[in-house]
Amino acid sequence: MAEETETKMTFADLGLEEKVLKALDDMGFEEPSPIQEQTIPMLLNGKDVIGQAQTGTGKTAAFGAPIVQRWDPKVRGIQALVLAPTRELAIQVAEELSKIGKYARIKTIAIYGGQSIDRQIRSLRFGVDVVIGTPGRIMDHMRRGTLNLSEVRMVVLDEADEMLDMGFVDDIEFILKETPATRQTLLFSATMPDEIKRLGSRYMKEPHHIAASPQQLTVPQIEQFFYEVRPAFKTDALCRVLDMENVERAICFCRTKKGVDELVEALQTRGYLAEGIHGDMNQAQRNRVMSKFKEGNVELLVATDVAARGLDIQDVTHVFNFDVPQDPESYVHRIGRTGRAGRAGTAVTFTSAREFGQLRLIERVTKTRIQRKPLPSVMDVAEKQREQLKERLVKVMDDGQLAFYKEVADELLDEYDAEILLAAALKMLSGEAKAPTAPSVDFGDTGAEAGMVRLFLNVGRQQLIQPADVVRSIASQTGIPGNVIGLINIYDRFTFVEVPKDVAAQVVQAMQDATIKGRSVNIEPAKRR
Ligand code: AMP
């Protein structure tokens, strides 16, 4: 591919100041996403904006950066209010805003139902600058007089269509009426039903409409599929796919520089030949990585969109979207690197449930079908590794020239059993191969029976947990069959469960953000008392 000379906007070009730029750089963002490029200058100019954007497009930073920049340190009180449909989104937005506001020292708080209201009242009293909350709980605080909105100058309705679907429209209107009329109002929504338009015309001042990627795009005809995985499980999922697919030369795209570094480290630890490339690396470092990749000493190049843009890389067998691209153009651009010159190529995208809408938008704009695939289980990978081991051995057999080894074999066969000998030889052979998908971690003595690891789960009888719940959850999270799960002891407040040693690390990792009977659980190796 020819090097591209097209210059892209930078965050500084959009009018953002040093304190925000520095924070965005720390977060690993290299350049603005399309929605940010369009929205940020308008918001900095004090305009009201209606943005049609899904999760995964960078919409949070699109309103977050202007909130931080427009924040006035001389004013005491809440200066920005973000309304979000769910607790999860409120927390996520609060986290992102506090990262963007790191150098401005902005205090953010997420306020949602289900959390102790007293604690929220204490935090509010302590003084916060930005509140992100679900409409119901915000109303609660307003009724109690524990939320003073008189200094609010920016209100954001995030995922407005979701809030309407959840029946929050009256609450939203009530809250908007209670904020100063001089406020700047922003509305983000994946879809634009009439009710949203009505909200816009009633409560916003000549809002500017911004939509991401309306034009149609064409994509190369290559195999495209996606896996739906929880964010914490993505690295594992990628490893499983790498083990199952015949990946020779691949590019894996991450959203941020930080993401590239973290993924490369995780992959290298697990024995994959991976190298990263991103904007913080100097030319010499990039050249080194690129020549390794070209010589075939690297099977997987992990890159940000920005770093990959200037690279002349052709005929990769696979393109992996470790993060869903922020706009359809970037999807087309990424996957265009495979399937060149009539060769077969595969594009694989990992998506969380929340980013699903963004994937569907990409499908719509590109008029292609991205097929869902079930993630290979640990057992599928193990089976594949077995097959590969057999194939390698048979190939050596077919290649012949074994006279010397036959002599050694004869000598050994005089002394040992043939099956055991072959097994030992296979073990030696697989020892040269890549480390298994999950590094088998030595958890020490957990008090489990031989070959097993005892794990501690922080739920028990009081949470009405039964053995079947534990088995079901572990089996579905990790893909290991329920019948390999060993002894389960349920106590009042906790549970012990034994799992085979070779999958224990995988279980611990996969269960990190799992739920059992709707409760989040904590799982860790048991300590022998
Ligand atoms: P959102 O659509 O706001 O939920 O953002 C999706 C993800 O993209 C979040 O993890 C953000 O931190 C990340 N993100 C937002 N803007 C950028 C950017 N310009 N470059 C890289 N990552 C970004």
Side-chain angles (χ1 to χ4, degrees):
M1 175 187 257
E3 298 232 344
E4 284 167 41
T5 47
E6 184 194 352
T7 44
K8 291 265 174 176
M9 281 269 192
T10 64
F11 280 112
D13 294 337
L14 306 181
L16 291 171
E17 291 164 4
E18 197 50 37
K19 60 177 191 262
V20 181
L21 294 176
K22 209 156 167 280
L24 295 175
D25 189 58
D26 285 357
M27 292 164 80
F29 296 6
E30 288 186 322
E31 65 176 14
S33 68
I35 192 87
Q36 291 162 359
E37 214 174 287
Q38 298 183 70
T39 316
I40 292 174
M42 289 203 183
L43 295 183
L44 291 178
N45 274 328
K47 302 268 191 287
D48 282 7
V49 168
I50 296 184
Q52 182 161 9
Q54 319 260 0
T55 291
T57 51
K59 66 183 167 63
T60 316
F63 62 76
I67 285 182
V68 171
Q69 182 146 323
R70 304 207 79 205
W71 174 72
D72 182 351
K74 293 188 288 295
V75 174
R76 279 180 63 85
I78 299 163
Q79 294 183 36
L81 172 69
V82 181
L83 295 180
T86 61
R87 165 195 145 152
E88 286 72 27
L89 184 65
I91 294 173
Q92 210 174 300
V93 171
E95 282 174 355
E96 183 118 335
L97 283 183
S98 80
K99 282 187 205 152
I100 302 173
K102 181 166 120 189
Y103 296 103
R105 296 176 186 277
I106 282 180
K107 283 199 228 76
T108 61
I109 179 179
I111 280 186
Y112 44 84
Q115 196 197 31
S116 144
I117 197 151
D118 292 333
R119 186 185 308 159
Q120 291 174 352
I121 292 171
R122 276 198 301 277
S123 308
L124 286 169
R125 235 186 253 141
F126 207 66
V128 291
D129 306 307
V130 181
V131 169
I132 302 95
T134 49
R137 188 47 78 97
I138 294 285
M139 292 269 291
D140 244 8
H141 280 283
M142 287 167 72
R143 274 193 224 104
R144 287 164 185 251
T146 47
L147 189 68
N148 180 351
L149 298 179
S150 61
E151 293 296 339
V152 166
R153 40 185 73 188
M154 281 172 108
V155 175
V156 184
L157 309 180
D158 196 8
E159 299 199 352
D161 48 356
E162 296 268 330
M163 291 200 281
L164 293 189
D165 285 350
M166 293 167 77
F168 282 138
V169 65
D170 295 341
D171 292 2
I172 292 174
E173 294 196 36
F174 178 86
I175 297 167
L176 284 173
K177 282 184 199 142
E178 292 294 309
T179 55
T182 50
R183 68 167 190 266
Q184 185 179 6
T185 314
L186 328 172
L187 184 155
F188 287 86
S189 190
T191 59
M192 285 292 155
D194 287 345
E195 197 141 27
I196 301 257
K197 292 189 190 132
R198 193 184 62 83
L199 262 185
S201 58
R202 269 197 167 181
Y203 296 96
M204 300 175 79
K205 291 184 268 319
E206 298 169 21
H208 288 258
H209 289 257
I210 286 171
S213 311
Q215 78 270 38
Q216 205 209 305
L217 298 160
T218 33
V219 292
Q221 288 309 307
I222 56 170
E223 195 191 3
Q224 299 169 59
F225 52 88
F226 76 91
Y227 295 108
E228 188 180 328
V229 281
R230 285 167 301 106
F233 194 55
K234 266 206 268 185
T235 307
D236 254 336
L238 172 64
C239 290
R240 282 194 205 171
V241 176
L242 287 173
D243 290 345
M244 288 300 287
E245 295 261 329
N246 294 323
V247 177
E248 287 165 36
R249 272 159 60 81
I251 305 188
C252 180
F253 287 95
C254 291
R255 216 171 263 146
T256 62
K257 297 179 267 188
K258 238 173 142 173
V260 168
D261 286 339
E262 284 166 9
L263 183 59
V264 168
E265 195 187 327
L267 290 172
Q268 287 178 346
T269 313
R270 292 164 191 225
Y272 294 90
L273 299 173
E275 292 281 353
I277 192 155
H278 60 59
D280 279 357
M281 294 164 66
N282 62 34
Q283 199 54 43
Q285 287 171 316
R286 287 158 175 250
N287 290 347
R288 210 172 310 127
V289 171
M290 285 317 296
S291 53
K292 271 180 157 180
F293 187 62
K294 283 184 179 149
E295 285 157 16
N297 296 329
V298 167
E299 55 189 341
L300 190 71
L301 185 69
V302 184
T304 54
D305 291 283
V306 178
R309 207 173 285 138
L311 299 178
D312 175 21
I313 298 171
Q314 306 201 15
D315 65 22
V316 295
T317 53
H318 292 72
V319 169
F320 293 102
N321 295 312
F322 191 69
D323 297 312
V324 175
Q326 289 178 318
D327 62 313
E329 281 92 341
S330 133
Y331 179 81
V332 173
H333 205 252
R334 286 179 179 188
I335 72 166
R337 300 202 173 252
T338 185
R340 293 271 169 86
R343 271 181 289 253
T346 309
V348 181
T349 303
F350 295 92
T351 175
S352 66
R354 295 189 47 79
E355 290 165 325
F356 211 66
Q358 175 66 1
L359 200 69
R360 289 287 172 239
L361 174 79
I362 292 172
E363 275 194 317
R364 259 199 323 279
V365 176
T366 57
K367 289 212 163 41
T368 43
R369 182 107 177 82
I370 307 175
Q371 236 155 5
R372 178 193 286 272
K373 265 202 184 176
L375 196 66
S377 69
V378 177
M379 293 299 151
D380 292 337
V381 174
E383 182 57 37
K384 174 87 180 181
Q385 282 169 343
R386 261 166 114 113
E387 286 309 314
Q388 282 172 342
L389 195 58
K390 283 194 241 167
E391 277 166 25
R392 285 174 65 200
L393 193 69
V394 171
K395 181 162 186 313
V396 175
M397 217 160 74
D398 291 346
D399 289 349
Q401 302 197 326
L402 295 169
F404 167 75
Y405 297 98
K406 269 162 102 177
E407 262 178 46
V408 183
D410 282 340
E411 287 168 25
L412 285 165
L413 280 166
D414 284 343
E415 243 182 288
Y416 302 99
D417 174 66
E419 192 186 23
I420 294 184
L421 269 178
L422 182 57
L426 282 170
K427 186 172 173 188
M428 226 162 100
L429 182 66
S430 65
E432 297 163 11
K434 191 155 32 198
T437 304
S440 56
V441 178
D442 184 7
F443 289 119
D445 183 5
T446 56
E449 69 174 86
M452 305 290 276
V453 169
R454 178 177 296 182
L455 301 175
F456 167 90
L457 265 169
N458 65 337
V459 285
R461 223 175 275 133
Q462 283 183 1
Q463 287 77 32
L464 307 175
I465 298 298
Q466 300 199 343
D469 300 320
V470 178
V471 173
R472 207 176 308 121
S473 175
I474 294 181
S476 68
Q477 289 294 125
T478 58
I480 68 170
N483 62 8
V484 305
I485 296 170
L487 209 63
I488 298 179
N489 286 317
I490 300 184
Y491 298 89
D492 273 355
R493 291 161 181 272
F494 57 87
T495 297
F496 285 127
V497 52
E498 295 189 5
V499 296
K501 235 182 190 146
D502 55 341
V503 295
Q506 226 138 356
V507 174
V508 171
Q509 199 172 4
M511 293 291 289
Q512 278 321 311
D513 53 355
T515 53
I516 299 186
K517 285 221 158 147
R519 281 172 182 277
S520 332
V521 294
N522 178 39
I523 189 162
E524 54 190 69
K527 292 180 195 74
R528 173 134 211 173
R529 275 160 296 171

